[in-house]
């Protein structure tokens, strides 16, 4: 018997060499020459989810979508949700607003052209919407996104907005737009907020602790969001020469991650992020039709961005 309520299962579709922790070893200009493993690893996850009869949200990097357009279609044809992970997996707070807007538009257009329908969900590379880059939320709204899952309410050296809400909510941007926000899941401990949402934490913590921590969120009557990357079920990926902390973050327990994920799929109920947000009443049911040119101009002007 699966525990709890419906939770959001999410995959950030990027390759091992695109991770911020390995940026010291691989520059963006080198990506095209690296061994490409994202497609095979994502197909591996699609098989796992099919066997478990669960649906997920796949945040697809624009660079990957350009290289593997049929992968995007396989994700959608299997009944999963496709959302945007940006284009080049750069930290937003190191970009200018103009560069971020252009990359956001580019990645959104790539996915929409492949799918023939709107893409309205977004997750930032390395959760890099922080207090320093809150302006990115305005740009997301202006470019037609209606929901986001980029904010990690924790202290961290690369990301985090400590003190922000821990549960899904309607977020008001600095310019007054509204987005449904599903923050990355955390545990509230005495004097500390602990990340528990997946990824490296899922590989670092013992499985029993992850299951207990995620279950405790459900026992509070709240859904959790779980995230993973395709490269995390690929222990055979090339090893890159990086500093010890980056090496530990990236390679720790890759050999047990797929087994743990299989157990997790059997313990909890999962669906797409949009379904969870709609069930909570923080996201309206929106059309999947592509916007017309006139409606695109309205979105850019903020005319169709209304509170939930």
């Amino acid at each position: 018997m699966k525990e709890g309520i419906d939770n959001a299962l999410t995959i950030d579709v990027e390759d091992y060499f695109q991770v911020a922790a390995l940026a010291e070893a691989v520059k963006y200009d080198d990506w095209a020459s690296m061994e490409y493993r994202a497609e095979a690893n994502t197909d591996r996850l699609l098989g796992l989810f099919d066997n478990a009869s669960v649906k997920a949200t796949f945040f697809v990097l624009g660079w990957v979508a350009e290289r593997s357009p049929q992968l995007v279609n396989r994700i959608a044809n299997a009944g999963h949700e496709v959302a945007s992970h940006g284009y080049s997996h750069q930290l937003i707070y190191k970009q200018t607003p103009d560069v971020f807007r252009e990359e956001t538009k580019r990645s959104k257009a790539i996915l929409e052209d492949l799918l023939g329908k709107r893409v309205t969900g977004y997750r930032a590379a390395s959760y890099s919407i922080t207090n320093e880059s809150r302006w990115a939320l305005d740009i997301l709204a202006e470019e037609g996104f209606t929901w986001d899952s980029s904010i990690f309410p924790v202290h961290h050296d690369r990301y985090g907005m400590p003190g922000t809400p821990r549960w899904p909510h309607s977020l008001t941007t600095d310019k007054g737009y509204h987005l449904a926000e599903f923050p990355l899941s955390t545990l509230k401990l005495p004097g500390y907020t602990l990340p528990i949402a997946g990824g490296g934490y899922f590989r670092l913590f013992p499985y029993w602790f992850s299951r207990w921590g995620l279950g405790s969120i459900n026992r509070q009557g709240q859904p959790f969001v779980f995230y993973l990357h395709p490269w995390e079920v690929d222990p055979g990926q090339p090893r890159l020469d990086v500093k010890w902390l980056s090496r530990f973050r990236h390679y720790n327990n890759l050999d047990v991650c797929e087994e743990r994920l299989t157990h997790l799929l059997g313990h909890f109920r999962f669906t797409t992020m949009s379904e969870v947000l709609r069930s909570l009443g923080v996201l309206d049911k929106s059309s999947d039709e592509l916007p017309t040119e006139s409606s695109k101009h309205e979105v850019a002007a903020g005319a169709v961005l209304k509170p939930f």
Side-chain angles (χ1 to χ4, degrees):
M1 185 72 174
K2 293 187 179 182
E3 298 179 7
I5 58 181
D6 283 343
N7 304 287
L9 177 61
T10 67
I11 301 297
D12 296 350
V13 183
E14 64 199 50
D15 218 331
Y16 67 98
F17 53 81
Q18 297 168 324
V19 178
L22 303 184
E24 61 190 90
V26 185
K27 305 305 180 188
Y28 175 78
D29 290 343
D30 299 326
W31 285 6
S33 64
M34 301 296 292
E35 182 183 345
Y36 183 62
R37 301 170 73 92
E39 184 165 348
N41 288 329
T42 304
D43 280 331
R44 190 170 180 174
L45 289 173
L46 287 172
L48 284 177
F49 296 165
D50 183 58
N51 289 338
S53 299
V54 299
K55 301 304 179 188
T57 297
F58 287 73
F59 294 92
V60 183
L61 199 68
W63 190 94
V64 172
E66 280 187 329
R67 184 148 182 173
S68 299
Q70 293 306 313
L71 174 64
V72 178
N73 289 320
R74 287 198 297 276
I75 293 169
N77 290 340
H80 302 290
E81 179 177 39
V82 176
S84 175
H85 197 35
Y87 182 80
S88 65
H89 209 264
Q90 305 304 300
L91 298 172
I92 293 174
Y93 49 76
K94 292 188 176 181
Q95 294 183 311
T96 66
D98 286 344
V99 169
F100 174 72
R101 185 186 296 274
E102 183 55 38
E103 287 210 353
T104 300
K105 292 172 68 172
R106 180 180 181 182
S107 59
K108 192 173 193 287
I110 291 168
L111 295 175
E112 290 181 341
D113 287 348
L114 288 172
L115 299 170
K117 63 180 182 179
R118 296 176 65 206
V119 170
T120 57
Y122 181 85
R123 174 173 285 163
S126 302
Y127 310 104
S128 55
I129 295 183
T130 64
N131 286 319
E132 184 182 351
S133 54
R134 270 189 62 92
W135 47 261
L137 296 169
D138 288 304
I139 292 174
L140 292 178
E142 289 168 354
E143 295 304 328
F145 290 95
T146 60
W147 62 269
D148 173 69
S149 181
S150 301
I151 296 177
F152 225 139
V154 296
H155 289 278
H156 190 274
D157 60 335
R158 276 206 184 93
Y159 52 75
M161 292 181 70
T164 52
R166 295 174 56 228
W167 310 131
H169 59 283
S170 177
L171 176 153
T172 302
T173 72
D174 292 342
K175 291 184 179 180
Y177 302 131
H178 292 264
L179 292 170
E181 177 68 32
F182 202 138
L184 282 300
S185 295
T186 56
L187 285 178
K188 196 69 173 176
L189 303 177
Y192 188 72
T193 302
L194 181 72
I196 196 72
Y201 306 106
F202 186 60
R203 291 182 285 113
L204 172 64
F205 300 146
Y207 177 75
W208 68 262
F209 182 80
S210 293
R211 180 181 174 183
W212 172 82
L214 294 170
S216 72
I217 295 173
N218 281 178
R219 289 189 289 274
Q220 295 175 68
Q222 295 289 342
F224 62 80
V225 55
F226 181 82
Y227 74 90
L228 209 67
H229 306 87
W231 54 264
E232 291 185 280
V233 296
D234 180 16
Q237 65 188 260
R239 271 16 184 204
L240 301 179
D241 185 16
V242 291
K243 295 176 183 176
W244 75 267
L245 180 58
S246 296
R247 187 166 60 250
F248 176 76
R249 282 174 168 171
H250 189 86
Y251 298 117
N252 179 55
N253 283 336
L254 289 178
D255 57 329
V256 298
C257 191
E258 183 175 351
E259 180 183 4
R260 290 182 179 183
L261 175 60
T262 301
H263 288 311
L264 196 78
L265 296 177
H267 289 151
F268 294 100
R269 289 162 46 186
F270 288 106
T271 186
T272 67
M273 182 158 282
S274 285
E275 286 300 313
V276 177
L277 289 171
R278 289 187 186 112
S279 72
L280 296 172
V282 295
L283 180 66
D284 284 341
K285 185 173 179 60
S286 58
S287 171
D288 286 337
E289 294 180 3
L290 286 171
T292 63
E293 285 302 316
S294 61
S295 66
K296 287 180 183 178
H297 293 312
E298 287 178 339
V299 170
V304 297
L305 297 169
K306 300 176 182 178
F308 298 114

